[in-house]
Amino acid sequence: MRTQVGIIGAGPAGLMLAHLLRRAGIESIIVENRSREYCEARVRAGLIEQWARDMLIETGVGERLKAEGLFHKGIKLQFDGVLHEIKFTELVGKGTTIYGQQEVVKDLIDDLLRHGVPILFEVSGTRVSDLDTKLPKIHFTHDGKAQQIECDFIGGCDGFHGICRPSVPDGKLTFYDREYPFGWLGILSESANVDEELIYSYHDRGFALYTQRSPTVSRLYFQCAPDEDAGNWTDEAIWEELRLRLGGVCPLPTGPILQKGVTPMRSFVTEPMQYGRLFLAGDSAHIVPPTGAKGMNLALADVLKLSRALAHFYKTGQHDRLDGYSAEVLPRVWKAQRFSWWMTSLLHHFPHENAFDRRRQVAELDYVATSRAAAMTLAENYAGLPID
Ligand code: RFL
Ligand code: PHB
């Protein structure tokens, strides 16, 4: 097989890259090691920044998002038993939208297949070669046959555990890493919404977050040990913990738990995000702790810039924008890292903290809740920094 851009991974990064390239008249093929059903059912992110919502709508894959997405004007912070509203629309004139990542994935897969962009699901043994030549290749097995795609460029959109980043020769990339001494236990439940906004709760027992997927489906998380086994938690124990951490202010509607799991928390950045003709985008290049809700948004921002650099190359034959890809996207990546780290350190309890640290966290929360300048900083970052 031959294509212009071979893409590895059918997550938000790979699918959006293929979508933007198609609109620019550039061919691509996606290879994905999971099934279509698995990709469409994987429950993950839910919060979309204002510019990303606009991009999904403007590029023709936002119809369902417009109808079903829940627009949010801000968030609520809960500490010392009181709820404080931070209204982004008033502070920075932008909001956020709750629309599950798997819904974005479904909309993109549907649109790509309707336009004849090949997505090869359930491939195995993916490998890349000839990255530093003009004809890099993707090798894999599909339908029991060994296959190869020759490409002009490869989009490494295969997530944190993919093969693209480890395929770059040793010493060509630098990694920046931080692990946090806790994780999040997350549930999806068939239960009525607690509030019209998301609630980030700072509590003596640890952080908790209330978010939602629809008027009848809620998503809730609470801080737990990094190696916590979700199986050790009965549904009753989960609801009790959430009630203690969130329920001080409002009664917590409960219901059947549809899904539960533990997410470890880390910050990670690769520099540069390219090697030869391989370009990394999304979680394959960087990971943020979910407290700032930035992961999927960063993946979309990377591929928007990458698709523009590729379009520039095919139009002019000039490499300059492709050469400058990492330098163009990394400042946004680092600002999202800083914000996600800040939200995480503001709201969680750490193993060796003392009473001074807790007082300092409450003072900072109080500052955000009462100072327009501080609230504006949160709002500007949370609703999404300008993309251009
Ligand atoms: P993905 O989504 O991991 O997709 C990578 C795809 O590559 C495939 N793959 C391979 N395919 C072929 N060959 C191989 N060798 C392959 N290896 C892997 C995988 O099967 C997969 O389909 O990465 P992508 O596209 O970069 O997207 C990143 C986002 O998924 C991620 O950043 C977000 O989910 C993070 N995140 C959040 N982001 C937000 O913007 N807002 C949020 O509210 C938010 N909440 C969250 C989150 C992530 C969470 N977890 C579970 C990590 C909440 C949670 C709990
Ligand atoms: C979600 O809706 O899953 C979500 C929202 C905000 C976060 C993390 C996750 O900070």
Side-chain angles (χ1 to χ4, degrees):
M1 281 181 264
R2 174 83 178 90
T3 192
Q4 289 176 302
V5 183
I7 298 174
I8 306 182
L15 294 166
M16 180 52 84
L17 178 59
H19 170 63
L20 295 172
L21 291 176
R22 180 192 68 72
R23 287 174 50 87
I26 300 165
E27 264 177 25
S28 68
I29 299 177
I30 302 180
V31 299
E32 162 61 51
N33 60 5
R34 300 290 193 155
S35 66
R36 177 175 179 179
E37 295 68 36
Y38 183 92
C39 293
E40 291 186 342
R42 190 163 38 195
V43 178
R44 278 187 160 189
L47 192 125
I48 299 179
E49 293 175 359
Q50 179 78 57
W51 72 270
R53 172 197 170 95
D54 296 344
M55 175 177 74
L56 288 160
I57 294 170
E58 280 159 21
T59 64
V61 284
E63 275 314 303
R64 222 158 52 84
L65 176 144
K66 262 200 295 188
E68 297 171 23
L70 306 170
F71 186 76
H72 285 254
K73 294 181 178 159
I75 57 166
K76 286 184 179 157
L77 293 175
Q78 177 173 320
F79 58 95
D80 281 348
V82 181
L83 274 177
H84 303 263
E85 189 167 11
I86 312 283
K87 219 166 195 175
F88 304 155
T89 46
E90 274 176 17
L91 291 159
V92 293
K94 295 179 192 174
T96 56
T97 300
I98 285 284
Y99 186 65
Q101 173 170 323
Q102 73 278 19
E103 306 304 326
V104 175
V105 162
K106 276 185 215 161
D107 295 343
L108 284 165
I109 290 177
D110 181 57
D111 191 79
L112 287 165
L113 294 178
R114 270 194 300 112
H115 286 94
V117 177
I119 309 178
L120 309 180
F121 288 101
E122 298 182 75
V123 305
S124 58
T126 321
R127 189 167 65 76
V128 290
S129 69
D130 306 282
L131 298 177
D132 52 359
T133 72
K134 286 196 171 165
L135 205 61
K137 297 173 192 67
I138 305 175
H139 312 263
F140 54 95
T141 301
H142 188 234
D143 282 342
K145 275 194 295 208
Q147 311 251 21
Q148 171 176 309
I149 307 177
E150 294 180 348
C151 337
D152 296 337
F153 301 98
I154 296 178
C157 303
D158 53 349
F160 187 63
H161 301 288
I163 54 98
C164 289
R165 190 180 67 250
S167 305
V168 174
D170 285 351
K172 298 288 180 192
L173 303 176
T174 305
F175 305 130
Y176 300 86
D177 204 357
R178 165 154 308 182
E179 283 190 27
Y180 297 85
F182 40 75
W184 278 11
L185 195 151
I187 62 162
L188 192 68
S189 75
E190 218 172 282
S191 54
N193 290 174
V194 177
D195 196 278
E196 75 276 13
E197 302 297 7
L198 275 66
I199 301 175
Y200 286 79
S201 178
Y202 176 87
H203 193 276
D204 278 352
R205 298 180 68 89
F207 170 72
L209 169 63
Y210 159 74
T211 166
Q212 53 201 215
R213 284 295 177 271
S214 77
T216 54
V217 176
S218 296
R219 181 121 169 99
L220 298 107
Y221 302 94
F222 64 83
Q223 173 181 358
C224 62
D227 54 356
E228 189 77 65
D229 178 355
N232 289 341
W233 285 80
T234 62
D235 290 6
E236 293 70 35
I238 291 175
W239 282 119
E240 177 59 10
E241 194 60 40
L242 286 165
R243 194 185 60 74
L244 288 169
R245 296 191 198 188
L246 278 166
V249 181
C250 36
L252 187 65
T254 61
I257 294 183
L258 308 173
Q259 205 234 30
K260 63 182 171 186
V262 171
T263 308
M265 312 268 281
R266 76 186 317 158
S267 303
F268 175 88
V269 181
T270 308
E271 286 193 15
M273 287 168 50
Q274 61 200 91
Y275 171 72
R277 289 195 164 215
L278 170 70
F279 293 87
L280 302 174
D283 279 16
S284 74
H286 41 70
I287 293 280
V288 282
T291 331
K294 291 281 164 256
M296 173 168 62
N297 292 295
L298 271 187
L300 297 176
D302 287 352
V303 297
L304 174 64
K305 302 290 175 161
L306 181 56
S307 68
R308 287 181 183 165
L310 287 163
H312 175 74
F313 169 81
Y314 283 110
K315 210 162 162 190
T316 64
Q318 302 294 315
H319 281 262
D320 51 326
R321 292 199 53 187
L322 282 169
D323 294 344
Y325 166 67
S326 302
E328 191 179 357
V329 297
L330 278 164
R332 185 183 188 85
V333 169
W334 275 109
K335 284 182 200 122
Q337 289 290 350
R338 183 208 68 81
F339 178 69
S340 305
W341 163 85
W342 175 74
M343 286 283 281
T344 304
S345 23
L346 179 66
L347 289 158
H348 291 76
H349 292 312
F350 287 73
H352 300 298
E353 69 186 12
N354 60 22
F356 176 88
D357 296 308
R358 292 206 179 189
R359 290 281 195 285
R360 185 184 46 74
Q361 281 176 318
V362 172
E364 192 158 5
L365 284 161
D366 192 34
Y367 177 50
V368 172
T370 55
S371 153
R372 190 173 168 84
M376 220 175 202
T377 301
L378 190 157
E380 184 183 32
N381 283 278
Y382 194 103
L385 293 171
I387 190 76
D388 286 311

